[in-house]
Amino acid sequence: MENNQEIISDLKGLVSIINDGKEGYSSAAESTDNVELKAVFLKYVAERALYENELKAHLEKHGGNSDNQEGGILGAIHRTWLDIKEALTDKSETALLSAVVTGEKAALEKYDMVIKDNELHSDHLNLLTTQRNGIAEALKEIEVLEQKYSDK
């Protein structure tokens, strides 16, 4: 029973960080007029919505639920970075992409912590690993874009 509570807690934490990312990408998409960046950000909003649904399905299997439609503390930090971006007039794409990188690194840390306990999460380890790898790929794409726009 104690293990199940830990599983529920971990999955709720992941739902929260996924919502952070979804909100962060949505805010980023709203904050830019750059068509290329807006398309990338919206792609990841959709991906995070899918991840959220997958996590919630596993949460329900363990008797938990998550009505969390918003992010947690890390999301607030991520959104603060996006708010700072709006105050910048110079190289706004770079500042925006930097904020997204910060959020994605936080998400990877959270996933790594949960995946590390692979025995506890054995029934959904493949899902968590797949999602973690998706976030890592998103981070790589954002970092490439960040480099591209910092060179301008």
Side-chain angles (χ1 to χ4, degrees):
M1 186 69 177
E2 186 176 311
N3 281 352
N4 199 51
Q5 288 303 97
E6 191 175 341
I7 291 169
I8 290 170
S9 176
D10 285 349
L11 289 175
K12 281 185 175 186
L14 292 177
V15 169
S16 182
I17 198 85
I18 286 299
N19 279 324
D20 293 344
K22 186 173 67 174
E23 289 176 30
Y25 277 119
S26 182
S27 295
E30 291 171 13
S31 297
T32 186
D33 293 326
N34 182 306
V35 177
E36 177 187 24
L37 294 182
K38 190 177 289 282
V40 169
F41 296 151
L42 291 174
K43 171 178 74 171
Y44 290 123
V45 168
E47 182 180 78
R48 295 310 180 271
L50 173 66
Y51 289 0
E52 175 189 7
N53 289 333
E54 292 172 340
L55 288 170
K56 285 182 175 182
H58 277 272
L59 192 53
E60 287 176 18
K61 281 184 185 177
H62 287 276
N65 69 351
S66 178
D67 53 9
N68 177 12
Q69 297 300 323
E70 299 176 356
I73 291 173
L74 288 174
I77 293 168
H78 192 168
R79 287 185 295 279
T80 299
W81 278 91
L82 292 175
D83 291 342
I84 291 169
K85 172 264 163 198
E86 291 187 40
L88 300 174
T89 55
D90 212 17
K91 294 192 178 191
S92 61
E93 282 98 355
T94 305
L96 185 59
L97 290 163
S98 177
V100 173
V101 165
T102 299
E104 292 296 59
K105 286 182 178 177
L108 286 175
E109 286 177 23
K110 180 73 173 171
Y111 269 81
D112 287 344
M113 284 175 26
V114 173
I115 289 170
K116 187 169 56 176
D117 197 351
N118 57 7
E119 255 183 59
L120 184 65
H121 295 287
S122 61
D123 73 321
H124 47 264
L125 193 58
N126 286 342
L127 171 70
L128 299 183
T129 303
T130 299
Q131 288 185 356
R132 188 238 181 257
N133 291 342
I135 294 167
E137 287 300 314
L139 176 59
K140 283 182 197 170
E141 182 176 5
I142 297 300
E143 287 175 331
V144 167
L145 288 169
E146 182 181 29
Q147 186 63 47
K148 172 183 171 181
Y149 285 99
S150 71
D151 290 344
K152 285 188 174 185

